[in-house]
Amino acid sequence: MANVYRKIYKEIKKHDTIVIARHIGADPDALGSELALKELILNKFPKKQVYAIGNPSNRFKFMGTLDKLEDVDTSSALLIVLDTPDLKRIDGAKINDYKTVIKIDHHPIVDNFGSIEVVDDNASSTSQLILELIFKNRLKLTKNIAEKLYIGIVSDTGRFMHDYTSARTFELVTKMLKKTNLDFTKVYEPLYKRPLAEFRFQGYIYENMDVTENGLAYIKISDDLLKEYEVDSASSGNIISELNCIDEILVWIFLTEDKKSNLIRANIRSRGPAINEVAAIYGGGGHKLASGARLTSWSQAENLIEDLDKITEKYLNEQNQ
Ligand code: AMP
């Protein structure tokens, strides 16, 4: 792997214009890795034009601002796609518009793209892979960059709890903290502070979700309900991981109406059964234990609930053998 990180550095050095993209539906790992990489490149090569693009997220705007690609000729530019396994989910860039494309990701492979690909689905986060890039090339790590990467890592690992948090994760984070003296306990407040309305909505979910005898929890959330609680469809994504430690629940799914986009968002999590293959049947995907999909109807949602219940039952049977 060391070699591939050297190759990436060489490509960065070669190009005057560099665009950094990530997946739609910005989350802290995607944002942290793209903003950190932009700063890293500009610190080393201040004359380069570097753009970190994609739709901004209101909730995570404290992490930094994103760029617009207006009137930028990308035909001789480098595109670095972060945290995105599939072409269809790249936010704001088309690979054919660029001279060179690099992919850096920690999801299982969906589409192969990029003349250089770093895909490590055993890595906790894309921010962890950016740390590898930094240390393999002895690039300068500042406090600002470390903060963004730390937020990306703690967020994708659920504060070092989820699968794929490894000794390597701790090794890299320790090295980063020692080098920068980042006051990391300060970063949690903006990351985890949420409005009271969302906590009240969370209470509604706990009270009203259904749980099957196999341990699948599910809830359908209509636009009217979101309005009643004064939250938006993104709130579900902020709550879904909170159900991780409920004894009776093995797999859980929130189905949230997104009226603006005219679709139903599925956030799915698991403590055992692999859910990403089921999500893929519905045009979605993700990790084994954390997946999502965008559905077009409530009947599709019903089918997805049934399929998830079936794999949960199968998993339980296998465990009991
Ligand atoms: P979320 O529930 O939105 O936090 O997503 C959990 C995981 O599933 C993330 O790794 C996403 O990249 C992935 N994911 C979410 N939605 C989709 C989708 N529509 N298609 C493919 N992967 C998705």
Side-chain angles (χ1 to χ4, degrees), residues 197 201 308:
F201 177 55
L308 287 173

Side-chain angles (χ1 to χ4, degrees), residues 25 43 102 116 124 174 185 251 267 312 315:
N43 285 349
I102 292 174
I116 303 175
S124 71
T174 304
T185 58
V251 175
N267 301 97
T312 311
Y315 177 87

Side-chain angles (χ1 to χ4, degrees), residues 86 88-89 107 266-269 283-287 290-294:
D86 41 0
K88 72 174 190 315
R89 299 188 76 236
H107 294 86
N267 301 97
I268 319 165
R269 298 291 185 273
H287 305 279
S291 299
R294 292 168 165 224

